Amino acid sequence: MRRAGGFLRDSSPAAAGWSAASGTAVAYWVNATGMPGPPPEYGSHPFLHPGGRVAWTKDRLEDAARTRLGGAKLIVVANREPYIHNLRDGAVELMRPAGGLTTALDPVMRACGGTWVAHGSGSADRLTADARGRVRVPPDDPTYTLRRVWLTPEQENGYYYGFANSSLWPLCHQVYHRPTFDPAHWAAYQEVNDLFAAAVLEEARGGPALVFVQDYHFALLPRLLKRARPDLVVAQFWHIPWPNPETFRVCPWAAELLDGMLGNDLLGFHTQYHCNNFLESVDRTVESRVCREGFSVTRGDRTTRVRPFPISVDPDFAGQYLAGDWEAPVAALRRRYGLGDRLLLLGVDRVDYTKGIPERLRAVARLLDLNPGLAGRFHLVQIGAPSRTNLPEYRALTDEIHGLAAGINERYGTPAWRPVVFVNEHAGPELIYPLYRSAAGCVVSSLHDGMNLVAKEFVTARDDEQGVLVLSEFTGAARELTDAVLVNPFDVDRLAAGLLAALTMPPAERQRRMRRMRAQVADHNIYRWAGTMLSEASKLVDHGPRPAAARVAAPRVYVPADDAALLTYPA
Ligand code: G6P
């Protein structure tokens, strides 16, 4: 039991319920005398569950966006767009990209409305947008605007493949993959941050706005926006880990990155540990006042609050794909790969070196070495969406996985049984959710991961309260999903033991663990993440008249000095 506001929250299985009709978890609260009731701080809130627990739902987020933003525009900036239009065989095809960020934020934008500014990366993106790059989405039921920003191949190469994914991605993920720092990539990164600043400022014209910047592609953007429009409220969420200061300081542009991020009013990370690392990095790198009690940084006359906001998923999303004949796509996959009716261990990832896919495959070999009786009894189905394939390390990883899978199948398999099935394709939710629902276990073996939303998606798909989650302890999700089978993916024996647990755990134990994980994700869902972050940021929205000095950002000039005037703008 945990104490909350003078009341005790009974988290024992008997005291936590699941409402199948609403798909939401109900946790029951008991007061000190053992009587059920709401925790006193919530009173009779309209979003109380029957058991008295405040729930964050789509409706509550909509309500919060309406009341808290009070007419201010919501502008989300993320490199990746939630809907990509591609040309295929002369026809326009809609694609939902793989990756947690877009999956998590799309329901938020559906609830709140507003504008999502992103790189228009699809081959038919220009065809489907208006002259200013705008298109209403979701295409079947439009609720918000997608504003596409066009990049040249050189800009995409330097900013996205270069600085974002060859410098910052390996720098922030401690997976022993050496980052490269190329001044040309850095120049492209600055140029594209400028370009996005101009697009956001255009979208924000004419009134108050809250700009919600996403991820490591835009470390410089918050400062650019604040310089041009001090009245904008700017919040950023960093979706990947923040490394310790020793690691971070190797970046030649460490000070510029931090200065850019200190343009934010509010800065979020998944965990307190990442917040601590960030404050340490600031303390050692730029002139500022770090307040460890209030968790904020003051640089010049501006203060940035730094807080953890663990991201999550929409718990009701799975339901759309688990109605009707939901088993049909799994049956088709079983036929296509000759899986029979054997148990499935499932991996769903972008093919990325942070995800620990080779480690997972080696653990399958180890499992078969230690348990020869399991031969012919299960498959590891690894869905691996191609990702960042312009980069040689991503292509090499794809080859490595194909090679490992072939080697394991050759060594342990038979003509009738291939232990590892590597599906190196993009798969949509209409296949992934039925697979989650059918699998004996889902394996998330990331070597380092800010959160990992596959783990949470898997849990939301298990309305049968079955299925075992094998989860790397180096993911943010491991802090919340403590009922998963937690493993160190670098330890092949422990990972193999995790796979064995997924294949052999008794149903009652699976149910006990899954029930608790479902309650956790139902409560700590994407609406809570967005609602708490936007509520905190919206306290700062000023609805008064806009300062006359506001203007669109002009190109930036860097001066080689570590002070508040690091960035200067010609008039
Ligand atoms: C991670 C990043 C996101 C990114 C996603 C997919 O989750 O934090 O910003 O969108 O990977 O990667 P991609 O490079 O395809 O956008």
Side-chain angles (χ1 to χ4, degrees):
M1 282 204 189
R2 285 185 284 140
R3 184 166 286 281
F7 277 59
L8 298 171
R9 182 176 178 195
D10 187 344
S11 57
S12 65
W18 181 264
S19 152
S22 64
T24 49
V26 183
Y28 301 96
W29 293 79
V30 289
N31 62 21
T33 61
M35 296 301 291
E41 68 268 36
Y42 297 133
S44 57
H45 195 281
F47 296 99
L48 280 179
H49 271 309
R53 180 85 169 84
V54 167
W56 271 99
T57 60
K58 183 169 185 281
D59 289 347
R60 184 174 171 201
L61 179 61
E62 248 171 48
D63 191 67
R66 206 172 36 247
T67 54
R68 307 264 168 83
L69 291 179
K73 283 185 194 163
L74 175 63
I75 302 172
V76 161
V77 195
N79 170 69
R80 185 59 67 198
E81 51 183 345
Y83 299 91
I84 304 180
H85 288 103
N86 281 317
L87 269 183
R88 194 150 133 180
D89 303 328
V92 174
E93 193 180 71
L94 182 72
M95 216 258 273
R96 307 282 312 267
L101 184 150
T102 49
T103 322
L105 273 158
D106 179 57
V108 172
M109 289 303 279
R110 286 178 190 231
C112 298
T115 301
W116 180 319
V117 183
H119 170 210
S121 58
S123 50
D125 272 357
R126 280 181 198 264
L127 273 180
T128 46
D130 70 13
R132 293 170 74 188
R134 289 188 176 140
V135 53
R136 294 281 295 163
V137 291
D140 53 347
D141 177 22
T143 43
Y144 67 95
T145 300
L146 171 60
R147 160 78 191 261
R148 288 170 170 154
V149 175
W150 313 116
L151 302 183
T152 64
E154 295 72 31
Q155 286 171 331
E156 184 178 2
N157 189 46
Y159 141 82
Y160 172 77
Y161 289 109
F163 195 70
N165 285 313
S166 302
S167 309
L168 285 178
W169 180 266
L171 182 73
C172 291
H173 288 93
Q174 293 173 40
V175 291
Y176 315 108
H177 196 95
R178 191 172 170 168
T180 55
F181 298 104
D182 180 336
H185 292 167
W186 172 240
Y189 186 82
Q190 294 171 76
E191 193 178 308
V192 172
N193 272 248
D194 279 336
L195 208 63
F196 271 80
V200 172
L201 292 168
E202 195 179 301
E203 294 296 330
R205 256 186 213 147
L210 192 165
V211 185
F212 191 17
V213 180
Q214 308 300 317
D215 232 348
Y216 59 99
H217 309 87
F218 300 117
L220 305 177
L221 183 59
R223 175 71 72 199
L224 295 174
L225 294 174
K226 276 288 185 184
R227 286 278 167 126
R229 281 272 307 266
D231 65 310
L232 290 178
V233 174
V234 184
Q236 182 166 30
F237 189 75
W238 195 262
H239 289 253
I240 63 176
W242 190 271
N244 65 54
E246 281 308 311
T247 302
F248 181 68
R249 69 194 279 257
V250 305
C251 177
W253 303 287
E256 287 89 337
L257 290 172
L258 292 174
D259 181 74
M261 293 171 78
L262 293 175
N264 283 298
D265 296 295
L266 177 65
L267 174 60
F269 294 93
H270 290 297
T271 66
Q272 186 64 53
Y273 176 66
H274 299 150
C275 296
N276 297 352
N277 280 349
F278 180 79
L279 289 194
E280 274 300 314
S281 302
V282 168
D283 212 12
R284 294 197 198 181
T285 318
V286 292
E287 208 165 293
S288 60
R289 210 171 58 249
V290 173
C291 171
R292 284 171 205 284
E293 237 166 75
F295 261 83
S296 62
V297 182
T298 304
R299 178 155 162 86
D301 57 356
R302 300 221 51 273
T303 296
T304 304
R305 301 169 204 202
V306 181
R307 302 270 187 282
F309 297 94
I311 203 169
S312 193
V313 295
D314 176 353
D316 295 334
F317 188 68
Q320 301 173 38
Y321 299 98
L322 296 173
D325 189 12
W326 63 267
E327 283 162 288
V330 180
L333 188 101
R334 283 186 182 274
R335 278 195 301 277
R336 179 172 160 200
Y337 291 102
L339 308 182
D341 58 0
R342 297 179 196 93
L343 294 176
L344 302 184
L345 295 176
L346 177 66
V348 178
D349 304 84
R350 285 181 306 104
V351 176
D352 192 295
Y353 52 81
T354 60
K355 302 293 180 186
I357 301 172
E359 284 72 8
R360 197 176 302 177
L361 266 49
R362 287 190 200 104
V364 170
R366 186 79 176 137
L367 177 69
L368 288 166
D369 282 339
L370 297 173
N371 304 275
L374 285 177
R377 308 262 305 274
F378 75 95
H379 295 273
L380 173 78
V381 174
Q382 176 63 52
I383 307 284
S387 179
R388 306 175 190 168
T389 45
N390 279 16
L391 294 176
E393 49 274 49
Y394 282 76
R395 291 199 299 275
L397 175 68
T398 307
D399 292 345
E400 183 188 354
I401 297 169
H402 276 296
L404 273 169
I408 293 171
N409 288 339
E410 195 173 311
R411 176 157 172 217
Y412 300 91
T414 64
W417 176 63
R418 286 193 300 160
V420 177
V421 175
F422 177 36
V423 185
N424 189 198
E425 289 166 12
H426 181 85
E430 53 298 327
L431 172 62
I432 289 177
Y433 279 95
L435 270 176
Y436 284 144
R437 176 67 175 68
S438 312
C442 179
V443 193
V444 174
S445 53
S446 308
L447 307 180
H448 196 190
D449 214 329
M451 175 53 70
N452 194 286
L453 293 180
V454 165
K456 292 186 173 180
E457 284 173 7
F458 172 64
V459 164
T460 63
R462 299 313 296 241
D463 55 358
D464 59 344
E465 298 182 332
Q466 291 293 310
V468 176
L469 176 63
V470 181
L471 179 61
S472 161
E473 56 194 80
F474 307 126
T475 60
R479 304 191 184 218
E480 290 179 67
L481 302 177
T482 49
D483 284 288
V485 175
L486 295 176
V487 292
N488 172 355
F490 293 90
D491 179 343
V492 69
D493 280 327
R494 259 192 78 190
L495 188 47
L499 301 183
L500 182 63
L503 293 171
T504 58
M505 188 181 285
E509 174 71 3
R510 295 200 293 254
Q511 183 182 48
R512 193 183 65 79
R513 290 171 179 253
M514 186 52 78
R515 194 175 276 179
R516 289 202 204 194
M517 290 194 286
R518 283 173 66 78
Q520 170 68 23
V521 178
D523 189 19
H524 293 78
N525 58 36
I526 186 64
Y527 301 112
R528 177 179 292 279
W529 174 81
T532 48
M533 200 160 173
L534 293 180
S535 298
E536 176 128 6
S538 64
K539 284 180 206 154
L540 306 166
V541 174
D542 176 3
H543 299 282
R546 206 150 55 86
R551 61 174 182 267
V552 172
R556 183 188 23 196
V557 177
Y558 273 90
V559 291
D562 175 20
D563 63 19
L566 200 60
L567 312 172
T568 56
Y569 294 84

